[in-house]
Amino acid sequence: MTAASPLYLWGGLNREIFLWINQSGGPWKDQIALAGTWVGDHRWYPIAIALAFSLALLRPQWLAPHRVLVLSWAYLLNWAAIAVLKPLLNFPRPLAALGPHWVHVLGRPEFQHSFPSGHAAWVFLLLGSLSPGAIWPLRLLLLLLALWVAWARVAVGAHFPADVLGGALIGLACAALASLLLRPWRPGIEARWIHPVGRRP
Protein backbone atom coordinates (compact mmCIF):
# COMPACT_ATOMS: atom_id res chain seq x y z
CA MET A 1 0.00 0.00 0.00
CA THR A 2 1.14 3.54 -0.79
CA ALA A 3 -0.06 7.00 0.24
CA ALA A 4 -1.84 7.20 -3.16
CA SER A 5 -3.62 3.86 -2.74
CA PRO A 6 -7.45 3.83 -2.77
CA LEU A 7 -7.23 1.76 0.43
CA TYR A 8 -5.62 4.79 2.06
CA LEU A 9 -7.39 7.67 0.34
CA TRP A 10 -10.93 6.24 0.74
CA GLY A 11 -12.06 8.16 -2.31
CA GLY A 12 -11.05 11.45 -0.70
CA LEU A 13 -12.81 10.73 2.59
CA ASN A 14 -9.53 10.25 4.45
CA ARG A 15 -8.65 13.89 3.75
CA GLU A 16 -12.16 15.24 4.30
CA ILE A 17 -12.66 13.50 7.65
CA PHE A 18 -9.24 14.73 8.74
CA LEU A 19 -10.09 18.34 7.90
CA TRP A 20 -13.47 18.11 9.63
CA ILE A 21 -11.96 16.80 12.87
CA ASN A 22 -8.79 18.87 12.77
CA GLN A 23 -10.37 22.24 11.99
CA SER A 24 -13.55 22.04 14.06
CA GLY A 25 -13.98 23.12 17.69
CA GLY A 26 -12.23 25.73 19.79
CA PRO A 27 -9.64 26.11 22.57
CA TRP A 28 -11.42 23.53 24.73
CA LYS A 29 -11.02 21.00 21.93
CA ASP A 30 -7.31 21.77 21.65
CA GLN A 31 -6.73 21.10 25.34
CA ILE A 32 -8.67 17.83 25.26
CA ALA A 33 -6.78 16.75 22.14
CA LEU A 34 -3.39 17.57 23.65
CA ALA A 35 -4.30 15.69 26.81
CA GLY A 36 -5.41 12.68 24.76
CA THR A 37 -2.21 12.56 22.75
CA TRP A 38 -0.17 12.85 25.98
CA VAL A 39 -2.10 10.10 27.77
CA GLY A 40 -1.89 7.82 24.73
CA ASP A 41 1.90 7.82 24.46
CA HIS A 42 3.27 4.27 24.51
CA ARG A 43 6.07 5.40 26.80
CA TRP A 44 3.53 4.98 29.61
CA TYR A 45 3.82 1.22 29.08
CA PRO A 46 5.83 0.58 32.30
CA ILE A 47 3.15 2.35 34.36
CA ALA A 48 0.33 0.59 32.52
CA ILE A 49 1.87 -2.85 33.04
CA ALA A 50 2.55 -2.08 36.72
CA LEU A 51 -1.07 -0.99 37.29
CA ALA A 52 -2.42 -4.01 35.43
CA PHE A 53 -0.14 -6.36 37.38
CA SER A 54 -1.20 -4.85 40.71
CA LEU A 55 -4.89 -4.99 39.86
CA ALA A 56 -4.70 -8.60 38.67
CA LEU A 57 -2.74 -9.62 41.75
CA LEU A 58 -5.05 -7.92 44.26
CA ARG A 59 -8.36 -8.29 42.41
CA PRO A 60 -8.15 -11.19 39.95
CA GLN A 61 -11.95 -11.14 39.72
CA TRP A 62 -11.63 -7.66 38.19
CA LEU A 63 -8.82 -8.49 35.75
CA ALA A 64 -7.78 -12.01 34.77
CA PRO A 65 -4.07 -12.42 35.57
CA HIS A 66 -3.12 -14.03 32.26
CA ARG A 67 -4.24 -10.86 30.43
CA VAL A 68 -1.25 -9.02 31.91
CA LEU A 69 1.08 -11.45 30.17
CA VAL A 70 -0.95 -11.04 27.01
CA LEU A 71 -0.32 -7.30 27.28
CA SER A 72 3.43 -7.86 27.70
CA TRP A 73 3.75 -10.15 24.71
CA ALA A 74 1.45 -8.05 22.56
CA TYR A 75 3.48 -4.93 23.32
CA LEU A 76 6.63 -6.59 21.95
CA LEU A 77 4.81 -7.69 18.80
CA ASN A 78 3.32 -4.22 18.38
CA TRP A 79 6.65 -2.49 18.90
CA ALA A 80 8.25 -4.65 16.21
CA ALA A 81 5.41 -4.08 13.75
CA ILE A 82 5.37 -0.30 14.19
CA ALA A 83 9.17 -0.05 14.06
CA VAL A 84 9.21 -1.86 10.71
CA LEU A 85 6.14 -0.33 9.05
CA LYS A 86 6.66 3.37 9.80
CA PRO A 87 10.05 3.77 8.04
CA LEU A 88 9.25 1.16 5.40
CA LEU A 89 6.06 2.89 4.20
CA ASN A 90 7.15 6.43 5.15
CA PHE A 91 3.76 8.05 4.47
CA PRO A 92 3.73 11.86 4.78
CA ARG A 93 2.07 13.41 7.81
CA PRO A 94 -0.89 15.73 7.19
CA LEU A 95 1.34 18.77 7.54
CA ALA A 96 3.60 17.53 4.72
CA ALA A 97 0.76 16.23 2.56
CA LEU A 98 -1.62 19.21 2.83
CA GLY A 99 0.57 22.13 3.87
CA PRO A 100 0.47 24.47 6.89
CA HIS A 101 -2.54 26.44 5.63
CA TRP A 102 -4.77 23.35 5.86
CA VAL A 103 -3.53 21.73 9.07
CA HIS A 104 -4.10 22.97 12.61
CA VAL A 105 -1.00 21.62 14.37
CA LEU A 106 -0.84 21.24 18.12
CA GLY A 107 2.45 20.26 19.69
CA ARG A 108 5.62 19.43 17.78
CA PRO A 109 5.24 19.56 13.97
CA GLU A 110 5.91 16.21 12.30
CA PHE A 111 6.33 15.45 8.60
CA GLN A 112 7.13 11.75 8.10
CA HIS A 113 6.12 8.24 9.17
CA SER A 114 2.39 8.86 9.38
CA PHE A 115 1.16 5.30 8.85
CA PRO A 116 0.37 3.59 11.15
CA SER A 117 -0.35 5.65 14.24
CA GLY A 118 1.77 4.40 17.12
CA HIS A 119 -0.51 6.05 19.67
CA ALA A 120 -3.58 4.31 18.25
CA ALA A 121 -1.76 0.99 18.08
CA TRP A 122 -0.82 1.29 21.76
CA VAL A 123 -4.24 2.19 23.16
CA PHE A 124 -6.05 -0.41 21.06
CA LEU A 125 -3.41 -2.91 22.14
CA LEU A 126 -4.38 -2.11 25.73
CA LEU A 127 -8.04 -2.55 24.84
CA GLY A 128 -7.52 -5.84 23.03
CA SER A 129 -5.16 -7.26 25.65
CA LEU A 130 -7.02 -6.45 28.85
CA SER A 131 -10.71 -6.16 27.95
CA PRO A 132 -11.43 -9.90 27.44
CA GLY A 133 -10.51 -10.59 31.07
CA ALA A 134 -11.83 -7.40 32.68
CA ILE A 135 -15.04 -6.39 34.41
CA TRP A 136 -17.32 -4.11 32.42
CA PRO A 137 -16.35 -0.75 34.03
CA LEU A 138 -12.72 -1.42 33.13
CA ARG A 139 -13.68 -2.51 29.61
CA LEU A 140 -15.66 0.70 29.17
CA LEU A 141 -12.76 2.79 30.48
CA LEU A 142 -10.34 1.12 28.05
CA LEU A 143 -12.73 1.66 25.14
CA LEU A 144 -13.21 5.34 25.96
CA LEU A 145 -9.45 5.79 26.31
CA ALA A 146 -8.84 4.19 22.91
CA LEU A 147 -11.46 6.33 21.17
CA TRP A 148 -10.23 9.50 22.88
CA VAL A 149 -6.62 8.97 21.83
CA ALA A 150 -7.59 7.96 18.28
CA TRP A 151 -9.61 11.16 17.89
CA ALA A 152 -6.87 13.24 19.51
CA ARG A 153 -4.20 12.16 17.04
CA VAL A 154 -6.30 13.53 14.19
CA ALA A 155 -7.35 16.62 16.15
CA VAL A 156 -3.74 17.64 16.86
CA GLY A 157 -2.89 17.29 13.15
CA ALA A 158 -0.48 14.38 13.57
CA HIS A 159 -2.37 11.69 11.61
CA PHE A 160 -4.98 11.04 8.99
CA PRO A 161 -7.95 8.84 10.02
CA ALA A 162 -6.51 5.98 7.93
CA ASP A 163 -3.31 6.11 10.02
CA VAL A 164 -5.35 5.81 13.20
CA LEU A 165 -7.45 2.96 11.82
CA GLY A 166 -4.32 1.13 10.68
CA GLY A 167 -2.73 1.54 14.10
CA ALA A 168 -5.89 0.35 15.84
CA LEU A 169 -6.07 -2.79 13.70
CA ILE A 170 -2.39 -3.55 14.31
CA GLY A 171 -2.82 -3.13 18.07
CA LEU A 172 -5.86 -5.41 18.15
CA ALA A 173 -4.13 -7.97 15.92
CA CYS A 174 -1.06 -8.06 18.17
CA ALA A 175 -3.29 -8.56 21.22
CA ALA A 176 -5.17 -11.39 19.49
CA LEU A 177 -1.93 -13.09 18.41
CA ALA A 178 -0.39 -12.81 21.88
CA SER A 179 -3.56 -14.25 23.42
CA LEU A 180 -3.46 -17.16 20.97
CA LEU A 181 0.21 -17.87 21.70
CA LEU A 182 -0.38 -17.86 25.46
CA ARG A 183 -3.56 -19.97 25.42
CA PRO A 184 -1.83 -23.33 26.11
CA TRP A 185 -0.21 -21.92 29.27
CA ARG A 186 -3.24 -20.06 30.61
CA PRO A 187 -4.30 -22.63 33.29
CA GLY A 188 -0.79 -22.76 34.75
CA ILE A 189 -0.44 -19.00 34.72
CA GLU A 190 -3.73 -18.51 36.54
CA ALA A 191 -2.92 -21.15 39.18
CA ARG A 192 0.59 -19.87 39.95
CA TRP A 193 -0.57 -16.24 40.04
CA ILE A 194 -3.65 -16.56 42.25
CA HIS A 195 -2.82 -19.28 44.74
CA PRO A 196 0.10 -17.48 46.46
CA VAL A 197 -2.22 -14.68 47.58
CA GLY A 198 -4.84 -17.05 48.92
CA ARG A 199 -7.39 -16.75 46.13
CA ARG A 200 -9.07 -19.52 44.26
CA PRO A 201 -8.82 -19.60 40.45
Side-chain angles (χ1 to χ4, degrees):
M1 187 173 71
T2 68
S5 169
L7 289 174
Y8 187 74
L9 296 178
W10 302 349
L13 280 177
N14 190 32
R15 177 181 181 274
E16 293 306 314
I17 295 172
F18 168 82
L19 292 174
W20 176 65
I21 295 174
N22 180 249
Q23 296 182 359
S24 62
W28 61 269
K29 186 211 76 170
D30 290 352
Q31 296 306 312
I32 295 173
L34 284 170
T37 205
W38 179 76
V39 167
D41 197 309
H42 70 91
R43 286 177 291 184
W44 294 115
Y45 167 74
I47 294 177
I49 198 73
L51 290 174
F53 180 88
S54 300
L55 181 62
L57 184 65
L58 299 173
R59 292 289 186 271
Q61 68 273 27
W62 292 4
L63 178 64
H66 76 280
R67 301 312 303 186
V68 181
L69 289 182
V70 169
L71 174 60
S72 300
W73 284 33
Y75 181 78
L76 295 177
L77 295 172
N78 180 76
W79 178 86
I82 298 297
V84 169
L85 288 174
K86 274 184 174 288
L88 179 66
L89 297 175
N90 196 27
F91 283 17
R93 300 268 183 169
L95 187 58
L98 302 179
H101 296 296
W102 288 97
V103 182
H104 177 53
V105 178
L106 298 171
R108 179 171 58 92
E110 297 182 85
F111 299 91
Q112 301 178 36
H113 305 155
S114 191
F115 184 91
S117 166
H119 281 69
W122 161 237
V123 290
F124 277 88
L125 168 71
L126 273 175
L127 176 66
S129 297
L130 301 181
S131 283
I135 57 175
W136 76 262
L138 181 55
R139 292 199 301 269
L140 179 60
L141 179 63
L142 290 168
L143 176 61
L144 292 176
L145 172 66
L147 294 176
W148 176 25
V149 173
W151 166 83
R153 295 305 285 161
V154 179
V156 300
H159 286 288
F160 288 105
D163 305 327
V164 170
L165 178 61
L169 293 175
I170 288 171
L172 292 173
C174 290
L177 179 57
S179 183
L180 183 65
L181 293 172
L182 279 167
R183 184 176 295 173
W185 292 279
R186 176 179 171 178
I189 293 170
E190 297 284 349
R192 288 184 176 86
W193 194 303
I194 298 172
H195 286 166
V197 292
R199 299 185 184 276
R200 294 186 301 172

